[in-house]
Amino acid sequence: MAGGGVQKGRGPVSETYAPVRYPLLVPAWAVLLVFVAAPVAMMLVYSFLTKEFRGGVIWEFSLAAYDQFFFDRGLFGDEPPRIEWTYITIFWRSIWQAGLATLLSLLIGFPTAYFIATRPKDTRAIWVFLITIPYWVNLLIRTVSMRFLLREQGPLNDTLLALGVLDEPLRLINTNLAVQLGLFYSYLPFMVLPIYAAVERYNFTYSEAAADLYATKWATLRRVVLPAVKPGVIAGCILVFVPSLGAFLAPDLLGGAKNFMIGSLIEEQFKGNAGNWPFGAAASMILLTLVLIALLVATSLQRRAEGPR
Amino acid sequence: MSQVAEIAVDVQNAVKRYGDFTALKSISLGVYHNEFFTLLGPSGCGKTTLLRMIAGFEDVTEGAIFLFGTEIDALPPNKRPVNTVFQNYALFPHMTVLENASFGLEMLGKSRAEAKARAGEMLELVQLSQFASRKPAQLSGGQQQRVALARALAPSPKVLLLDEPLSALDLKLRKAMQIELKHIQRETGITFIFVTHDQEEALTMSDRIAVMSAGELQQLGAPREIYEHPQNRFVADFIGETNLIEVTISEVADGRAKCRIGGGHVIECDAPGQASGSACLSVRPERMVLSAGNASGIAVPARVVENIFVGTDIATWLKVDGGPEISVRISNSARSTIFEPGANVFVNFEAGAARLLMD
């Protein structure tokens, strides 16, 4: 079909390009190699090396980093190994902190996205623009502002006290809630935008059909709208959960020492002379594995949601 | 109908305005129980708006809508015991055919088993049982159409609303579905309100037709009545083919009018009471006969311009001497005489063929 419309699979046209197909792929492969494969490979190698005390590594194979992560062998390393809960606890905390931040983003982001997608066509762009404006400001500045907002003599507490809602200021700073709020605020647009795109493509005749078939508004949302926009919801959750899991600004600035998360733990290993590069690399590899598992679960859910085509 | 038929849907002075645009200008009509009722009109005439008002997707600006005597215009769509077959079917893409068909019953609080059983029966009615576990995207347009029908029929609605349900199908499939829809309507005894812009479809399927234009009801009646006795120029022109001939009424006596057409020829026809001045005659092309001589003495002389072969018929275009062009349909059979272009002929109007329209 010379000059035909849609090319399906490897039609005659792609055969025409066959001799140059691989040369054309070189830039893409090069980018992936330099910016994805090489850093990950480097981390993987470093995680199996011996630490140098002033930062850096000694090129000698060692399982010490992973051993330190999972096992406690006492102060001098001569006791029988017990499970080391410190880092597992940090990981576990990070997962549920990121999970709660994702949930919060979903609860706020979904109605927001739905609202924007149901505005008249010419005003939607304005709403999307308004959502993204705060994100032109550096993340660090925004997180510090959040700290200022939430502190004991900050605007939030002052307002609530002045309104008589509270008798004494809320202790928000250095709590889990503050971290979740920080993460939520950091990544909200990543939830709103994919859901907005999905709802905008959604055909509202389905909602009319559901109402016509006696579905209440809630049943329509649950049985018809949500399944249709599920790919957008899953994409939004991944885009918020993954960076939240490795974030260190919000936990550092809003959570304090007690609410340490993976991001901060890894950051510390590479900062100044006190760090432990192999340990930081090992923690990164473990985090990467967890994220990959989460992504695999999410994509298989997504595939099920989309069903056969 | 010997006894007074029950009215299923009663629309009373319904008005629909969008801002300062009036989509429906005070429509009143009654749809009988068990009737196949069609809303017919060109796009933008308000027929779909009226259907959506009955379904509950559009609110009624003024007036009222009753369903078997109960006012429903303030109820949300999910509280109205009517169901809709949508123009593009609107089948839920993530549900199977069976799940689609049982959705309404489940929402009505029926148990899953009961809903599935009834939905299965409906799929049998539309001959799609073997596709129950497929997704809509795996079906052809005609099959999706049937699923939409089964889904809307499953909750046993009091009235079924159909919004141009056949417009996306090709001609052959459309013809087959027309007959099937009619059968299903008879079999289930449910009142159907059918929206279409296709006059032939309306004539084929309906018990009664409401012809609409520019947000107004033009005429309401049985297909034959609308075809044979159009009340105005719009209806005459919209339904079937017709010749609209401008005339001046010269004389009215005993319910008959003498109408003068271009060239000074006179055509006689039945006249409504107060006919006078200028008007319009509607004459269906198949209600005229051509002859070589003027045996009756009242035939109109004309010259053949062109013959167009259309299969079952031959459409002959004529120019009346000093008057208008008219088209006559001659059945394509051995008994018909075909006159060659250029021939001088006489046009004979069958009794009642010419209908006088005053607007």
Side-chain angles (χ1 to χ4, degrees), chain A residues 203 205-217 219-220 222-225 227-228 304-309, chain B residues 52 55 57 77-78 80-84 86 90-95 103-104 106-108 112 135 138 151 155 157:
Chain A
N203 178 357
T205 316
Y206 296 141
S207 293
E208 281 189 352
D212 189 63
L213 293 162
Y214 314 106
T216 57
K217 288 215 163 101
T220 303
R222 204 173 57 83
R223 295 284 303 269
V224 178
V225 181
R304 274 227 319 256
E306 279 165 4
R309 290 279 160 191
Chain B
R52 290 172 59 82
F57 304 133
N78 58 331
R80 301 187 189 197
V82 299
N83 289 126
T84 307
F86 291 85
L91 297 175
F92 305 128
H94 57 285
M95 295 184 198
F103 186 84
E106 272 183 53
M107 289 300 119
L108 281 174
R112 194 159 278 218
K135 292 276 175 72
Q138 296 168 292
R151 181 177 75 173

CSV table of all heavy atoms in Angstrom, one decimal, chain A residues 203 205-217 219-220 222-225 227-228 304-309, chain B residues 52 55 57 77-78 80-84 86 90-95 103-104 106-108 112 135 138 151 155 157:
chain,number,residue,atom,x,y,z
A,203,ASN,N,-15.2,10.1,27.6
A,203,ASN,CA,-16.4,10.5,26.9
A,203,ASN,C,-17.6,10.5,27.9
A,203,ASN,O,-18.0,9.5,28.4
A,203,ASN,CB,-16.7,9.4,25.8
A,203,ASN,CG,-17.9,9.6,25.0
A,203,ASN,OD1,-18.7,10.6,25.3
A,203,ASN,ND2,-18.2,8.8,24.0
A,205,THR,N,-20.6,10.8,27.6
A,205,THR,CA,-21.8,10.1,27.2
A,205,THR,C,-21.9,8.8,28.1
A,205,THR,O,-23.0,8.4,28.4
A,205,THR,CB,-21.8,9.7,25.8
A,205,THR,OG1,-21.4,10.8,25.0
A,205,THR,CG2,-23.2,9.3,25.3
A,206,TYR,N,-20.8,8.2,28.5
A,206,TYR,CA,-20.8,7.0,29.4
A,206,TYR,C,-21.5,7.4,30.7
A,206,TYR,O,-22.2,6.6,31.2
A,206,TYR,CB,-19.4,6.5,29.6
A,206,TYR,CG,-18.6,6.0,28.4
A,206,TYR,CD1,-17.3,6.3,28.3
A,206,TYR,CD2,-19.3,5.3,27.4
A,206,TYR,CE1,-16.6,5.8,27.2
A,206,TYR,CE2,-18.6,4.8,26.3
A,206,TYR,CZ,-17.2,5.1,26.2
A,206,TYR,OH,-16.6,4.7,25.1
A,207,SER,N,-21.2,8.6,31.2
A,207,SER,CA,-21.8,9.0,32.5
A,207,SER,C,-23.3,9.1,32.3
A,207,SER,O,-24.1,8.8,33.1
A,207,SER,CB,-21.2,10.3,33.0
A,207,SER,OG,-19.9,10.1,33.4
A,208,GLU,N,-23.7,9.7,31.1
A,208,GLU,CA,-25.1,9.8,30.8
A,208,GLU,C,-25.8,8.5,30.7
A,208,GLU,O,-26.9,8.2,31.3
A,208,GLU,CB,-25.4,10.6,29.5
A,208,GLU,CG,-25.2,12.1,29.6
A,208,GLU,CD,-25.6,12.8,28.4
A,208,GLU,OE1,-25.9,12.2,27.3
A,208,GLU,OE2,-25.7,14.1,28.4
A,209,ALA,N,-25.1,7.5,30.0
A,209,ALA,CA,-25.6,6.2,29.9
A,209,ALA,C,-25.8,5.5,31.3
A,209,ALA,O,-26.8,4.9,31.5
A,209,ALA,CB,-24.7,5.3,29.0
A,210,ALA,N,-24.8,5.7,32.2
A,210,ALA,CA,-24.9,5.2,33.5
A,210,ALA,C,-26.1,5.7,34.3
A,210,ALA,O,-26.9,5.0,34.9
A,210,ALA,CB,-23.6,5.4,34.3
A,211,ALA,N,-26.3,7.1,34.2
A,211,ALA,CA,-27.4,7.7,34.9
A,211,ALA,C,-28.7,7.2,34.3
A,211,ALA,O,-29.7,7.0,35.0
A,211,ALA,CB,-27.3,9.2,34.7
A,212,ASP,N,-28.7,7.0,33.0
A,212,ASP,CA,-29.9,6.5,32.3
A,212,ASP,C,-30.3,5.1,32.8
A,212,ASP,O,-31.4,4.7,32.9
A,212,ASP,CB,-29.7,6.5,30.8
A,212,ASP,CG,-30.9,6.2,30.0
A,212,ASP,OD1,-31.9,7.0,30.1
A,212,ASP,OD2,-31.0,5.1,29.4
A,213,LEU,N,-29.2,4.4,33.2
A,213,LEU,CA,-29.4,3.0,33.7
A,213,LEU,C,-29.5,3.0,35.2
A,213,LEU,O,-29.0,2.0,35.8
A,213,LEU,CB,-28.3,2.1,33.1
A,213,LEU,CG,-28.4,1.9,31.6
A,213,LEU,CD1,-27.0,1.4,31.1
A,213,LEU,CD2,-29.5,0.9,31.2
A,214,TYR,N,-29.9,4.1,35.8
A,214,TYR,CA,-30.3,4.1,37.2
A,214,TYR,C,-29.1,4.2,38.2
A,214,TYR,O,-29.3,4.0,39.4
A,214,TYR,CB,-31.2,3.0,37.6
A,214,TYR,CG,-32.3,2.7,36.6
A,214,TYR,CD1,-32.3,1.6,35.7
A,214,TYR,CD2,-33.4,3.6,36.5
A,214,TYR,CE1,-33.3,1.5,34.8
A,214,TYR,CE2,-34.4,3.5,35.6
A,214,TYR,CZ,-34.4,2.4,34.8
A,214,TYR,OH,-35.3,2.2,33.8
A,215,ALA,N,-27.9,4.5,37.6
A,215,ALA,CA,-26.7,4.6,38.5
A,215,ALA,C,-26.8,6.0,39.2
A,215,ALA,O,-27.1,7.0,38.6
A,215,ALA,CB,-25.4,4.4,37.7
A,216,THR,N,-26.5,6.0,40.5
A,216,THR,CA,-26.4,7.2,41.3
A,216,THR,C,-25.0,7.9,40.8
A,216,THR,O,-24.2,7.2,40.2
A,216,THR,CB,-26.3,7.0,42.8
A,216,THR,OG1,-25.2,6.1,43.0
A,216,THR,CG2,-27.6,6.3,43.3
A,217,LYS,N,-24.8,9.1,41.3
A,217,LYS,CA,-23.6,9.8,40.9
A,217,LYS,C,-22.4,9.0,41.4
A,217,LYS,O,-21.4,8.9,40.7
A,217,LYS,CB,-23.6,11.2,41.5
A,217,LYS,CG,-24.6,12.2,40.8
A,217,LYS,CD,-24.0,13.6,40.7
A,217,LYS,CE,-24.8,14.4,39.7
A,217,LYS,NZ,-25.8,15.3,40.3
A,219,ALA,N,-22.2,5.8,42.1
A,219,ALA,CA,-22.0,4.5,41.4
A,219,ALA,C,-21.4,4.8,40.0
A,219,ALA,O,-20.6,4.0,39.5
A,219,ALA,CB,-23.4,3.8,41.2
A,220,THR,N,-21.8,5.9,39.4
A,220,THR,CA,-21.3,6.3,38.1
A,220,THR,C,-19.8,6.5,38.2
A,220,THR,O,-19.0,6.0,37.4
A,220,THR,CB,-22.0,7.5,37.6
A,220,THR,OG1,-23.4,7.3,37.5
A,220,THR,CG2,-21.5,7.9,36.2
A,222,ARG,N,-17.7,5.3,40.4
A,222,ARG,CA,-17.0,4.1,40.8
A,222,ARG,C,-17.0,3.1,39.7
A,222,ARG,O,-16.0,2.5,39.4
A,222,ARG,CB,-17.7,3.5,42.1
A,222,ARG,CG,-16.8,2.7,42.9
A,222,ARG,CD,-17.5,2.3,44.2
A,222,ARG,NE,-18.8,1.6,43.9
A,222,ARG,CZ,-18.9,0.3,43.7
A,222,ARG,NH1,-17.8,-0.4,43.6
A,222,ARG,NH2,-20.1,-0.2,43.4
A,223,ARG,N,-18.2,2.9,39.1
A,223,ARG,CA,-18.3,1.8,38.1
A,223,ARG,C,-17.9,2.2,36.7
A,223,ARG,O,-17.6,1.3,35.9
A,223,ARG,CB,-19.7,1.3,38.1
A,223,ARG,CG,-20.2,0.6,39.4
A,223,ARG,CD,-19.6,-0.8,39.6
A,223,ARG,NE,-19.9,-1.7,38.5
A,223,ARG,CZ,-21.0,-2.4,38.5
A,223,ARG,NH1,-21.8,-2.4,39.5
A,223,ARG,NH2,-21.2,-3.2,37.5
A,224,VAL,N,-18.0,3.5,36.4
A,224,VAL,CA,-17.8,3.9,35.0
A,224,VAL,C,-16.7,4.9,34.8
A,224,VAL,O,-15.8,4.6,34.0
A,224,VAL,CB,-19.1,4.5,34.4
A,224,VAL,CG1,-18.9,4.9,32.9
A,224,VAL,CG2,-20.3,3.4,34.4
A,225,VAL,N,-16.7,5.9,35.6
A,225,VAL,CA,-15.6,7.0,35.3
A,225,VAL,C,-14.3,6.4,35.8
A,225,VAL,O,-13.3,6.5,35.0
A,225,VAL,CB,-15.9,8.3,36.1
A,225,VAL,CG1,-14.9,9.3,35.9
A,225,VAL,CG2,-17.3,8.8,35.7
A,227,PRO,N,-12.9,3.3,36.2
A,227,PRO,CA,-12.3,2.4,35.4
A,227,PRO,C,-11.8,3.0,34.1
A,227,PRO,O,-10.8,2.6,33.5
A,227,PRO,CB,-13.4,1.3,35.1
A,227,PRO,CG,-14.4,1.5,36.2
A,227,PRO,CD,-14.3,2.9,36.6
A,228,ALA,N,-12.5,4.0,33.5
A,228,ALA,CA,-12.1,4.5,32.3
A,228,ALA,C,-10.9,5.4,32.4
A,228,ALA,O,-10.1,5.5,31.5
A,228,ALA,CB,-13.3,5.4,31.7
A,304,ARG,N,-4.3,-4.8,33.1
A,304,ARG,CA,-5.6,-5.4,33.4
A,304,ARG,C,-6.7,-4.4,33.2
A,304,ARG,O,-7.8,-4.7,32.7
A,304,ARG,CB,-5.6,-5.9,34.8
A,304,ARG,CG,-5.0,-7.3,34.9
A,304,ARG,CD,-5.9,-8.2,35.8
A,304,ARG,NE,-6.4,-7.6,37.0
A,304,ARG,CZ,-6.0,-7.8,38.2
A,304,ARG,NH1,-5.0,-8.6,38.4
A,304,ARG,NH2,-6.6,-7.2,39.2
A,305,ALA,N,-6.4,-3.1,33.6
A,305,ALA,CA,-7.4,-2.1,33.5
A,305,ALA,C,-7.8,-1.8,32.1
A,305,ALA,O,-8.9,-1.5,31.8
A,305,ALA,CB,-6.9,-0.8,34.2
A,306,GLU,N,-6.8,-1.8,31.2
A,306,GLU,CA,-7.0,-1.4,29.8
A,306,GLU,C,-7.7,-2.5,29.1
A,306,GLU,O,-8.5,-2.3,28.1
A,306,GLU,CB,-5.7,-1.0,29.1
A,306,GLU,CG,-5.3,0.4,29.5
A,306,GLU,CD,-3.9,0.7,29.1
A,306,GLU,OE1,-3.2,-0.2,28.5
A,306,GLU,OE2,-3.5,1.8,29.4
A,307,GLY,N,-7.5,-3.7,29.5
A,307,GLY,CA,-8.2,-4.9,28.9
A,307,GLY,C,-7.7,-5.1,27.5
A,307,GLY,O,-6.8,-4.5,27.0
A,308,PRO,N,-8.4,-6.1,26.8
A,308,PRO,CA,-8.0,-6.4,25.5
A,308,PRO,C,-8.4,-5.3,24.5
A,308,PRO,O,-9.4,-4.7,24.7
A,308,PRO,CB,-8.8,-7.7,25.2
A,308,PRO,CG,-9.9,-7.7,26.1
A,308,PRO,CD,-9.5,-6.9,27.3
A,309,ARG,N,-7.6,-5.1,23.5
A,309,ARG,CA,-7.9,-4.0,22.5
A,309,ARG,C,-8.3,-4.7,21.2
A,309,ARG,O,-7.7,-5.6,20.8
A,309,ARG,CB,-6.7,-3.1,22.3
A,309,ARG,CG,-6.4,-2.3,23.5
A,309,ARG,CD,-7.4,-1.1,23.6
A,309,ARG,NE,-7.4,-0.5,24.9
A,309,ARG,CZ,-8.3,0.4,25.3
A,309,ARG,NH1,-9.2,0.8,24.5
A,309,ARG,NH2,-8.3,0.8,26.5
B,52,ARG,N,-33.8,14.2,24.9
B,52,ARG,CA,-33.0,14.3,26.0
B,52,ARG,C,-33.7,14.9,27.2
B,52,ARG,O,-33.4,14.7,28.4
B,52,ARG,CB,-31.7,15.1,25.7
B,52,ARG,CG,-30.7,14.4,24.8
B,52,ARG,CD,-29.6,15.2,24.3
B,52,ARG,NE,-28.8,15.8,25.4
B,52,ARG,CZ,-27.9,15.1,26.0
B,52,ARG,NH1,-27.6,13.9,25.6
B,52,ARG,NH2,-27.2,15.6,27.0
B,55,ALA,N,-35.5,12.0,28.6
B,55,ALA,CA,-34.6,11.1,29.4
B,55,ALA,C,-34.1,11.8,30.7
B,55,ALA,O,-33.7,11.1,31.6
B,55,ALA,CB,-33.4,10.8,28.5
B,57,PHE,N,-31.6,14.4,30.6
B,57,PHE,CA,-30.3,15.0,30.4
B,57,PHE,C,-30.3,16.5,30.2
B,57,PHE,O,-29.3,17.1,30.4
B,57,PHE,CB,-29.6,14.3,29.2
B,57,PHE,CG,-29.5,12.8,29.3
B,57,PHE,CD1,-29.8,12.0,28.3
B,57,PHE,CD2,-29.1,12.2,30.5
B,57,PHE,CE1,-29.7,10.6,28.4
B,57,PHE,CE2,-29.0,10.9,30.6
B,57,PHE,CZ,-29.3,10.1,29.6
B,77,PRO,N,-32.1,11.8,35.7
B,77,PRO,CA,-32.2,10.7,34.8
B,77,PRO,C,-32.3,9.3,35.5
B,77,PRO,O,-33.1,8.4,35.0
B,77,PRO,CB,-31.0,10.7,33.9
B,77,PRO,CG,-30.3,12.0,34.2
B,77,PRO,CD,-31.0,12.7,35.4
B,78,ASN,N,-31.6,9.1,36.6
B,78,ASN,CA,-31.5,7.8,37.2
B,78,ASN,C,-32.8,7.5,38.0
B,78,ASN,O,-33.0,6.4,38.5
B,78,ASN,CB,-30.3,7.6,38.1
B,78,ASN,CG,-30.2,8.6,39.2
B,78,ASN,OD1,-30.7,9.7,39.0
B,78,ASN,ND2,-29.6,8.3,40.3
B,80,ARG,N,-35.8,8.1,36.5
B,80,ARG,CA,-36.9,8.0,35.5
B,80,ARG,C,-36.9,6.6,34.9
B,80,ARG,O,-35.9,6.1,34.4
B,80,ARG,CB,-36.7,9.0,34.4
B,80,ARG,CG,-36.6,10.4,34.8
B,80,ARG,CD,-36.6,11.4,33.7
B,80,ARG,NE,-36.3,12.8,34.2
B,80,ARG,CZ,-36.5,13.9,33.5
B,80,ARG,NH1,-37.0,13.8,32.2
B,80,ARG,NH2,-36.3,15.0,34.0
B,81,PRO,N,-38.1,6.0,34.9
B,81,PRO,CA,-38.1,4.6,34.4
B,81,PRO,C,-38.2,4.5,32.8
B,81,PRO,O,-39.0,3.9,32.2
B,81,PRO,CB,-39.4,4.0,35.0
B,81,PRO,CG,-40.3,5.2,35.2
B,81,PRO,CD,-39.4,6.4,35.5
B,82,VAL,N,-37.3,5.3,32.2
B,82,VAL,CA,-37.1,5.2,30.8
B,82,VAL,C,-35.6,4.9,30.5
B,82,VAL,O,-34.8,5.2,31.3
B,82,VAL,CB,-37.5,6.6,30.1
B,82,VAL,CG1,-38.9,6.9,30.3
B,82,VAL,CG2,-36.5,7.7,30.6
B,83,ASN,N,-35.4,4.3,29.4
B,83,ASN,CA,-34.0,4.0,29.0
B,83,ASN,C,-33.7,4.5,27.6
B,83,ASN,O,-34.6,4.6,26.8
B,83,ASN,CB,-33.7,2.5,29.2
B,83,ASN,CG,-33.6,2.0,30.6
B,83,ASN,OD1,-34.3,1.1,31.0
B,83,ASN,ND2,-32.8,2.7,31.4
B,84,THR,N,-32.4,4.7,27.3
B,84,THR,CA,-32.0,5.3,26.1
B,84,THR,C,-31.0,4.4,25.3
B,84,THR,O,-30.1,3.8,25.9
B,84,THR,CB,-31.3,6.7,26.4
B,84,THR,OG1,-32.2,7.4,27.2
B,84,THR,CG2,-31.1,7.4,25.1
B,86,PHE,N,-28.2,5.2,22.8
B,86,PHE,CA,-27.5,6.4,22.4
B,86,PHE,C,-27.1,6.3,20.9
B,86,PHE,O,-26.8,5.2,20.4
B,86,PHE,CB,-26.3,6.7,23.3
B,86,PHE,CG,-26.7,7.1,24.7
B,86,PHE,CD1,-27.0,6.1,25.6
B,86,PHE,CD2,-26.8,8.4,25.0
B,86,PHE,CE1,-27.4,6.5,26.9
B,86,PHE,CE2,-27.2,8.8,26.3
B,86,PHE,CZ,-27.5,7.8,27.2
B,90,ALA,N,-22.6,4.3,23.3
B,90,ALA,CA,-22.0,4.6,24.7
B,90,ALA,C,-22.0,3.3,25.5
B,90,ALA,O,-22.3,3.3,26.7
B,90,ALA,CB,-22.9,5.6,25.4
B,91,LEU,N,-21.5,2.2,24.9
B,91,LEU,CA,-21.3,1.0,25.7
B,91,LEU,C,-20.1,1.2,26.6
B,91,LEU,O,-19.1,1.7,26.1
B,91,LEU,CB,-21.1,-0.2,24.7
B,91,LEU,CG,-22.3,-0.5,23.8
B,91,LEU,CD1,-21.9,-1.6,22.8
B,91,LEU,CD2,-23.5,-1.0,24.6
B,92,PHE,N,-20.2,0.7,27.8
B,92,PHE,CA,-19.1,0.8,28.7
B,92,PHE,C,-17.9,0.0,28.2
B,92,PHE,O,-18.0,-1.2,28.2
B,92,PHE,CB,-19.5,0.4,30.1
B,92,PHE,CG,-20.7,1.2,30.6
B,92,PHE,CD1,-21.7,0.5,31.2
B,92,PHE,CD2,-20.7,2.6,30.6
B,92,PHE,CE1,-22.9,1.2,31.6
B,92,PHE,CE2,-21.8,3.3,31.0
B,92,PHE,CZ,-22.9,2.6,31.5
B,93,PRO,N,-16.8,0.6,27.8
B,93,PRO,CA,-15.7,-0.1,27.1
B,93,PRO,C,-15.0,-1.2,28.0
B,93,PRO,O,-14.5,-2.1,27.5
B,93,PRO,CB,-14.7,1.0,26.7
B,93,PRO,CG,-15.0,2.1,27.6
B,93,PRO,CD,-16.5,2.0,28.0
B,94,HIS,N,-15.0,-1.0,29.3
B,94,HIS,CA,-14.3,-1.9,30.2
B,94,HIS,C,-15.1,-3.1,30.7
B,94,HIS,O,-14.6,-3.9,31.3
B,94,HIS,CB,-13.7,-1.1,31.4
B,94,HIS,CG,-14.8,-0.5,32.2
B,94,HIS,ND1,-15.4,0.7,31.7
B,94,HIS,CD2,-15.4,-0.8,33.3
B,94,HIS,CE1,-16.3,1.1,32.6
B,94,HIS,NE2,-16.3,0.2,33.6
B,95,MET,N,-16.4,-3.1,30.3
B,95,MET,CA,-17.3,-4.2,30.7
B,95,MET,C,-17.6,-5.1,29.5
B,95,MET,O,-17.6,-4.6,28.4
B,95,MET,CB,-18.6,-3.6,31.2
B,95,MET,CG,-18.5,-2.8,32.5
B,95,MET,SD,-20.2,-2.3,33.0
B,95,MET,CE,-19.7,-0.9,34.1
B,103,PHE,N,-26.1,-4.0,33.7
B,103,PHE,CA,-25.7,-2.9,34.5
B,103,PHE,C,-27.0,-2.2,35.1
B,103,PHE,O,-27.0,-1.9,36.3
B,103,PHE,CB,-24.9,-1.9,33.7
B,103,PHE,CG,-24.4,-0.7,34.5
B,103,PHE,CD1,-23.2,-0.8,35.2
B,103,PHE,CD2,-25.1,0.5,34.5
B,103,PHE,CE1,-22.7,0.3,35.9
B,103,PHE,CE2,-24.6,1.6,35.2
B,103,PHE,CZ,-23.4,1.5,35.9
B,104,GLY,N,-28.0,-1.9,34.3
B,104,GLY,CA,-29.2,-1.2,34.7
B,104,GLY,C,-29.9,-2.0,35.8
B,104,GLY,O,-30.3,-1.4,36.8
B,106,GLU,N,-28.6,-4.2,37.9
B,106,GLU,CA,-27.8,-4.2,39.1
B,106,GLU,C,-28.0,-2.9,39.8
B,106,GLU,O,-28.1,-2.8,41.1
B,106,GLU,CB,-26.3,-4.4,38.8
B,106,GLU,CG,-25.9,-5.8,38.7
B,106,GLU,CD,-24.4,-6.0,38.5
B,106,GLU,OE1,-23.6,-5.4,39.2
B,106,GLU,OE2,-24.1,-6.7,37.5
B,107,MET,N,-28.0,-1.8,39.1
B,107,MET,CA,-28.2,-0.4,39.7
B,107,MET,C,-29.6,-0.3,40.3
B,107,MET,O,-29.8,0.4,41.2
B,107,MET,CB,-28.0,0.7,38.6
B,107,MET,CG,-26.6,0.8,38.2
B,107,MET,SD,-25.4,1.2,39.5
B,107,MET,CE,-24.3,-0.1,39.5
B,108,LEU,N,-30.5,-1.1,39.8
B,108,LEU,CA,-31.9,-1.1,40.4
B,108,LEU,C,-32.0,-1.9,41.6
B,108,LEU,O,-33.0,-2.1,42.2
B,108,LEU,CB,-32.9,-1.6,39.4
B,108,LEU,CG,-33.3,-0.6,38.3
B,108,LEU,CD1,-34.2,-1.2,37.3
B,108,LEU,CD2,-34.0,0.6,38.9
B,112,ARG,N,-27.0,-10.0,41.5
B,112,ARG,CA,-26.2,-10.1,40.4
B,112,ARG,C,-26.7,-11.3,39.5
B,112,ARG,O,-26.7,-11.1,38.3
B,112,ARG,CB,-24.7,-10.4,40.9
B,112,ARG,CG,-23.7,-10.3,39.8
B,112,ARG,CD,-22.3,-10.0,40.4
B,112,ARG,NE,-22.2,-8.6,40.7
B,112,ARG,CZ,-21.0,-8.0,40.5
B,112,ARG,NH1,-20.0,-8.6,40.0
B,112,ARG,NH2,-20.9,-6.7,40.8
B,135,LYS,N,-15.7,-7.9,24.8
B,135,LYS,CA,-15.7,-6.5,25.1
B,135,LYS,C,-16.4,-5.8,23.9
B,135,LYS,O,-16.2,-6.3,22.8
B,135,LYS,CB,-14.3,-6.0,25.4
B,135,LYS,CG,-13.7,-6.5,26.7
B,135,LYS,CD,-14.1,-5.6,27.9
B,135,LYS,CE,-13.6,-6.2,29.2
B,135,LYS,NZ,-12.2,-6.0,29.4
B,138,GLN,N,-14.6,-5.5,20.6
B,138,GLN,CA,-14.4,-6.6,19.8
B,138,GLN,C,-15.6,-7.0,18.9
B,138,GLN,O,-15.6,-8.0,18.2
B,138,GLN,CB,-14.1,-7.9,20.6
B,138,GLN,CG,-12.8,-7.8,21.4
B,138,GLN,CD,-12.7,-8.8,22.5
B,138,GLN,OE1,-13.5,-8.8,23.5
B,138,GLN,NE2,-11.8,-9.8,22.3
B,151,ARG,N,-29.1,-3.7,26.4
B,151,ARG,CA,-28.8,-3.0,27.7
B,151,ARG,C,-30.0,-2.1,28.1
B,151,ARG,O,-30.3,-2.0,29.2
B,151,ARG,CB,-27.5,-2.2,27.5
B,151,ARG,CG,-27.1,-1.5,28.8
B,151,ARG,CD,-25.8,-0.7,28.6
B,151,ARG,NE,-26.0,0.5,27.9
B,151,ARG,CZ,-25.0,1.4,27.7
B,151,ARG,NH1,-23.8,1.2,28.2
B,151,ARG,NH2,-25.2,2.5,27.0
B,155,PRO,N,-33.8,-3.5,31.8
B,155,PRO,CA,-34.5,-3.1,33.0
B,155,PRO,C,-36.0,-2.9,32.7
B,155,PRO,O,-36.7,-2.4,33.6
B,155,PRO,CB,-33.9,-1.7,33.4
B,155,PRO,CG,-32.7,-1.6,32.5
B,155,PRO,CD,-32.9,-2.3,31.3
B,157,PRO,N,-37.9,-0.9,30.7
B,157,PRO,CA,-38.3,0.5,30.8
B,157,PRO,C,-39.8,0.7,30.4
B,157,PRO,O,-40.3,-0.1,29.6
B,157,PRO,CB,-37.4,1.3,29.9
B,157,PRO,CG,-37.0,0.3,28.8
B,157,PRO,CD,-37.0,-1.0,29.5
